[in-house]
């Protein structure tokens, strides 16, 4: 399990090594054809690489085009519920936040699915929940997947960490992928920001990725919440170690990464411990692509439109569009409290046109439900 | 920093493994082994009589600092390999086994299907299995899952001394492996071994290139140096050939960030 590996990697030592990276380290990592190690990744996200941003962009674009061509995979999230038993101090869905809680009924789910289909030809759907294992647990998710599968070929979930057999169960209900953000790999800070509830268990969360791999989940998405820990460079490096670990062990799985940036005073009123600039986000994105040519890099509507459009040509391969981050936001309850504020508020059609103008082809469908049949019947 | 390789719970300071075939005398083989500093040598089951305490070849390789790695060379399928490995475990008193299944007597190319089957069965039975295999990245992952303690992909057809002909695939295998990768077969010169180690291979196995050299003892020493050099260079972080991609001043890609 990765928690054991993580103990061998010192946080402070990693921070020191990133800070000590030199010009020569960066230049070595930037040689075309060089196979990057996590050490090289550290060089590329370090301040020493800042003068090389343009070269990094060129190399990132080259690798991205070689592997993905000039396409962007489109997806849309649907929040099934904002009900949550956790106390993440930075989150608007925090258990003690006085707000109306919604858990979509099966009928409401179908209304949302249909509303999304009217919005755009989305075929990749991400189902999101808070952590409420009693009212929105595995049977609830299975129902949501069953109802969605006739309308969407590719279904991912972003929910609380589950047991391996629960991931396997959901696979049989048509689930193709799982996204889970570790939030931070800094154990003490993690405990600080997740004081109560199931989420307070660091090990359970960080080892969820192993359990996904063991359950044969096709696609695993990772991320750290940037701004939660003061030192995002070290946090992202830990994620790179984790990615490297996972892809060696669960080699049939595809991986994606996301770099969600916290903003000052989101719904939870939490003030981020660090603000990552656009340049820094671009640097990290290029570094990730140079480190791993095959990983999907996803930008959500958290990011502003112009940044998304440009980054779609330089390393990003997956994007959401037209997103609502409140449960039932597409049809049933369009006015409820959202989890985070969407920055890119364009319609899917506007995003599509913008991407085409940048020379990128938005891809809506990239999976075939019949491939899932052996899992659906087993 | 100590840089040891661990396979099946045993640590190896030397990353050069030797084969014991093709030497003109057992004395010369023993001298080459000593000169190489190796801590693991392969012994072909078919070559030795393990029950005979006076077996000449064995007498020359049995040393406390050397791990014997019996190989199954000669078997043609998984059933025969499992049988041979079981005999080897009894005879040599070690769970280590180099799994070699090459039904084709001409090129001695490994049978991937039988090798995978035998690895599964032997690993389940507690063997420390080191399969000789094709430089096939997917196969190497399957062998790993089957319980292989390391994988031993070939650099070139065995005995040809042609070097790292499978280089592009070896790079993928090394990049993706969660177990040690030992380059086996085809390494004909110390420079080949150094190149393999520079790529990040965990170890090299050499036989023909040492055994048939003009001076096998001197060649064993040269290989030891090459493997050490290559490893050190890998750990030091190689400077790459070529140059860093240049930024184009005319139309920077990152202008939108200004």
């Amino acid at each position: 399990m990765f928690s054991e590996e993580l103990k061998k990697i010192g946080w402070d030592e990693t921070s020191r090594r990133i800070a000590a990276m030199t010009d020569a380290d960066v230049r070595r990592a930037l040689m075309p054809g060089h196979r990057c190690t996590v050490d090289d990744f550290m060089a590329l996200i370090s301040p020493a690489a800042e003068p090389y941003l343009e070269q990094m962009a060129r190399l990132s674009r080259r690798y991205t085009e070689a592997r993905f061509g000039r396409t962007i995979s489109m997806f849309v999230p649907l929040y099934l519920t904002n009900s949550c038993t956790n106390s993440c101090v930075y989150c608007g869905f925090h258990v003690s936040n006085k707000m109306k809680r919604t858990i979509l009924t099966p009928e409401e789910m179908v209304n949302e699915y249909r509303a999304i289909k009217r919005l755009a030809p989305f075929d990749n759907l991400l189902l999101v929940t808070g952590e409420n294992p009693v009212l929105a647990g595995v049977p609830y998710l299975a129902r949501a997947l069953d109802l969605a599968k006739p309308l969407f070929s590719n279904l991912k979930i972003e929910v609380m960490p589950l047991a391996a057999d629960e991931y396997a169960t959901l696979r049989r209900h048509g689930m193709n992928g799982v996204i889970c953000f570790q939030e931070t790999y800094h154990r003490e800070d993690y405990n600080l920001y997740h004081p109560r509830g199931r989420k307070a268990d660091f090990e359970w969360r960080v080892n969820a990725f192993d359990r996904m791999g063991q359950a044969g989940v096709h696609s695993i998405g990772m991320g750290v919440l940037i701004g939660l820990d003061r030192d995002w460079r070290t946090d992202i490096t830990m994620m790179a170690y984790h990615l490297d670990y996972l892809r060696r062990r669960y080699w049939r799985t595809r991986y994606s990464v996301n770099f969600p940036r916290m903003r000052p005073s989101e719904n939870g009123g939490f003030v981020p411990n660090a603000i990552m600039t656009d340049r820094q986000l671009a640097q990290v994105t290029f570094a990730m692509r140079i480190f791993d040519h095959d990983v999907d890099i996803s930008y959500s509507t958290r990011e502003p439109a112009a940044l998304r459009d440009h980054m779609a040509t330089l390393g990003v391969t997956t994007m959401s569009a037209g997103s609502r981050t409140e449960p039932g936001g597409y049809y049933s309850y369009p006015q409820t409290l959202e989890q985070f504020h969407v920055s890119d508020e364009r319609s899917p059609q506007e995003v599509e046109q913008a991407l085409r103008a940048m020379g990128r082809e938005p891809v809506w469908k990239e999976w075939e439900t019949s491939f899932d049949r052996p899992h659906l019947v087993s | 920093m100590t840089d040891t390789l661990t396979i099946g719970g045993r640590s190896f300071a030397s990353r050069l493994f030797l084969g014991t075939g093709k030497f003109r005398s057992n004395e010369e083989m023993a001298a080459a082994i000593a000169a190489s500093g190796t801590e693991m040598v392969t012994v072909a089951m078919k070559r030795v009589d393990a029950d005979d305490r006076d077996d000449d070849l064995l007498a020359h390789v049995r040393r406390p600092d050397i791990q014997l790695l019996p190989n199954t060379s000669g078997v043609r399928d998984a059933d025969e390999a499992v049988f041979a490995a079981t005999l080897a475990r009894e005879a040599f008193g070690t769970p280590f086994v180099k799994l070699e299944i090459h039904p084709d007597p001409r090129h001695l190319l490994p049978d991937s299907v039988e090798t995978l089957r035998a690895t599964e069965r032997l690993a389940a039975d507690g063997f420390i299995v080191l399969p000789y295999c094709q430089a096939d990245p997917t196969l190497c992952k399957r062998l790993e899952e089957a319980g292989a303690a390391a994988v031993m992909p070939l650099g070139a057809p065995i005995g040809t001394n042609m070097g790292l002909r499978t280089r592009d695939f070896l790079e993928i295998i090394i990049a993706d492996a969660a177990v040690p990768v030992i380059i086996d077969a085809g390494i004909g010169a110390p420079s080949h071994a150094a190149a393999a180690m520079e790529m990040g291979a965990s170890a090299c196995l050499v036989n023909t290139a040492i055994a048939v050299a003009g001076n096998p003892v001197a060649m064993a020493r040269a290989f030891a140096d090459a493997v050490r050099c290559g490893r050190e260079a890998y750990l030091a972080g190689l400077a790459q050939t070529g140059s860093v991609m240049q930024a184009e001043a005319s139309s920077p890609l990152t202008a939108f960030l200004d």
Side-chain angles (χ1 to χ4, degrees):
Chain A
M1 291 287 192
F2 185 67
S3 60
E4 291 306 308
E5 298 296 315
L6 195 58
K7 285 176 189 158
K8 300 177 199 159
I9 312 167
W11 180 280
D12 293 340
E13 167 70 8
T14 303
S15 302
R16 269 195 298 277
R17 289 181 59 213
I18 295 169
M21 286 291 168
T22 64
D23 190 70
D25 294 323
V26 177
R27 294 183 68 86
R28 182 171 53 245
L30 279 178
M31 292 294 176
H34 174 62
R35 262 176 207 281
C36 277
T37 61
V38 177
D39 280 14
D40 293 314
F41 179 74
M42 287 157 71
L44 293 174
I45 63 166
S46 75
E50 281 168 9
Y52 291 93
L53 194 67
E54 181 67 19
Q55 286 94 327
M56 288 175 68
R58 300 183 73 81
L59 203 52
S60 173
R61 185 174 67 173
R62 178 197 283 189
Y63 290 142
T64 306
E65 289 185 355
R67 172 67 179 77
F68 296 88
R70 293 176 174 153
T71 62
I72 295 289
S73 167
M74 306 299 293
F75 77 98
V76 67
L78 170 64
Y79 282 66
L80 294 174
T81 175
N82 54 11
S83 169
C84 191
T85 54
N86 286 320
S87 310
C88 315
V89 300
Y90 49 84
C91 179
F93 294 170
H94 186 291
V95 65
S96 45
N97 237 7
K98 295 277 178 275
M99 56 181 278
K100 185 176 169 347
R101 304 288 172 160
T102 305
I103 300 176
L104 295 188
T105 64
E107 191 187 344
E108 287 168 337
M109 289 174 193
V110 172
N111 285 336
E112 295 297 316
Y113 299 154
R114 289 187 181 140
I116 287 170
K117 281 291 189 186
R118 286 193 294 273
L119 208 56
F122 284 114
D123 197 49
N124 302 321
L125 177 68
L126 174 65
L127 297 172
V128 187
T129 69
E131 179 153 7
N132 187 338
V134 176
L135 298 175
V138 171
Y140 177 82
L141 291 167
R143 184 89 174 108
L145 291 163
D146 288 342
L147 292 171
K149 204 65 185 178
L151 292 161
F152 301 89
S153 310
N154 189 27
L155 297 174
K156 293 190 187 182
I157 59 168
E158 186 176 343
V159 305
M160 62 282 185
L162 302 174
D165 62 333
E166 293 175 320
Y167 287 125
T169 297
L170 294 180
R171 265 190 79 194
R172 287 193 291 275
H173 286 272
M175 179 197 78
N176 304 96
V178 181
I179 292 174
C180 182
F181 291 167
Q182 178 55 35
E183 321 296 15
T184 177
Y185 287 89
H186 191 287
R187 203 175 284 255
E188 289 75 30
D189 282 357
Y190 182 92
N191 293 332
L192 198 64
Y193 299 127
H194 308 97
R196 283 176 301 281
R198 189 69 197 263
K199 197 166 171 180
D201 188 344
F202 179 88
E203 253 83 19
W204 177 249
R205 192 170 190 89
V206 84
N207 290 334
F209 301 85
D210 278 282
R211 298 195 299 273
M212 294 169 205
Q214 288 158 4
V217 171
H218 283 168
S219 163
I220 295 178
M222 316 171 73
V224 292
L225 204 43
I226 291 162
L228 196 53
D229 192 88
R230 192 170 42 80
D231 186 357
W232 52 260
R233 286 191 177 87
T234 305
D235 232 347
I236 292 173
T237 299
M238 296 300 170
M239 185 173 78
Y241 276 118
H242 199 175
L243 173 61
D244 189 57
Y245 164 93
L246 290 170
R247 68 183 175 187
R248 284 172 194 274
R249 277 160 191 78
Y250 312 108
W251 54 278
R252 292 179 181 83
T253 296
R254 234 178 119 156
Y255 296 92
S256 67
V257 295
N258 197 306
F259 306 106
R261 294 191 289 179
M262 301 186 91
R263 295 161 203 288
S265 66
E266 289 191 2
N267 290 328
F270 178 80
V271 180
N273 291 303
I275 296 294
M276 179 191 255
T277 65
D278 287 356
R279 288 187 82 83
Q280 288 167 335
L281 175 62
Q283 184 185 348
V284 164
T285 304
F286 302 151
M288 182 53 75
R289 172 61 65 229
I290 296 166
F291 171 62
D292 187 329
H293 304 181
D294 302 321
V295 72
D296 262 310
I297 301 180
S298 182
Y299 269 28
S300 77
T301 52
R302 247 178 208 276
E303 298 302 340
L307 181 68
R308 294 205 324 148
D309 292 351
H310 280 102
M311 291 303 290
T313 70
L314 298 176
V316 169
T317 53
T318 303
M319 274 191 185
S320 50
S323 305
R324 310 303 303 254
T325 65
E326 64 275 32
Y330 299 97
Y331 184 84
S332 313
Y333 307 102
Q335 302 303 326
T336 46
L337 179 68
E338 51 191 14
Q339 193 198 21
F340 63 86
H341 182 64
V342 162
S343 173
D344 183 350
E345 295 182 312
R346 295 174 298 178
S347 71
Q349 286 73 23
E350 287 169 319
V351 173
E352 178 174 16
Q353 280 160 18
L355 288 174
R356 287 192 190 286
M358 301 294 291
R360 288 296 174 274
E361 169 80 15
V363 172
W364 304 93
K365 180 179 187 296
E366 53 174 7
W367 188 245
E368 170 52 47
T369 305
S370 62
F371 296 173
D372 292 325
R373 206 155 287 155
H375 305 297
L376 292 176
V377 296
S378 68
Chain B
M1 188 178 80
T2 54
D3 173 42
T4 54
L5 170 63
T6 304
I7 301 171
R10 177 156 179 167
S11 297
F12 299 90
S14 166
R15 290 170 180 270
L16 173 61
F17 302 151
L18 254 60
T20 52
K22 300 185 183 174
F23 284 91
R24 77 188 121 212
S25 73
N26 287 336
E27 289 70 27
E28 192 170 66
M29 175 195 72
I33 288 172
S36 73
T38 188
E39 293 160 56
M40 180 138 75
V41 300
T42 64
V43 178
M45 284 285 293
K46 64 182 180 187
R47 281 282 311 279
V48 299
D49 181 355
D51 292 334
D52 176 5
R53 296 205 59 81
D54 299 325
D55 182 280
D56 198 45
L57 190 145
L58 274 183
H60 282 87
V61 296
R62 274 201 201 278
R63 283 171 34 181
D65 56 330
I66 288 184
Q67 171 69 50
L68 287 187
L69 180 61
N71 75 49
T72 62
S73 177
V75 306
R76 286 151 300 179
D77 61 28
D79 288 338
E80 292 178 8
V82 169
F83 183 69
T86 309
L87 287 181
R89 179 162 62 180
E90 281 172 27
F92 294 90
T94 176
F96 276 73
V97 62
K98 184 184 174 207
L99 183 60
E100 290 189 29
I101 307 179
H102 30 71
D104 136 46
R106 267 179 73 218
H107 307 294
L108 305 181
L109 289 169
D111 181 327
S112 303
V113 174
E114 296 297 318
T115 301
L116 179 60
R117 281 187 187 143
T119 300
E120 276 166 1
R121 287 167 60 186
L122 290 170
D125 195 18
F127 283 91
I128 295 161
V129 188
L130 289 80
Y132 163 57
C133 61
Q134 294 285 356
D136 173 342
T138 306
L139 174 67
C140 285
K141 294 308 287 184
R142 294 290 302 261
L143 289 167
E144 218 178 277
E145 287 178 338
V151 289
M152 304 185 74
L154 51 79
I158 198 162
T160 60
N161 294 326
M162 292 195 300
L164 305 178
R165 294 298 171 97
T166 57
R167 184 179 188 107
D168 292 347
F169 300 100
L170 293 175
E171 283 182 354
I172 296 172
I173 292 167
I174 291 166
D176 291 353
V179 296
V181 178
I182 303 160
I183 310 302
D184 185 8
I187 295 179
S191 56
H192 299 155
M197 298 308 291
E198 286 169 6
M199 275 165 56
S202 311
C204 289
L205 190 137
V206 182
N207 187 358
T208 309
I210 292 174
V212 305
N215 181 341
V217 174
M219 189 57 84
R221 226 170 5 244
F223 266 101
D225 288 345
V227 166
R228 203 161 35 238
C229 282
R231 178 66 185 176
E232 221 168 286
Y234 169 73
L235 293 175
L238 283 173
Q240 298 291 306
T241 50
S243 57
V244 173
M245 193 181 256
Q246 292 305 302
E248 274 176 30
S250 56
S251 55
L253 297 174
T254 52
F256 71 98
L257 293 165
D258 293 335

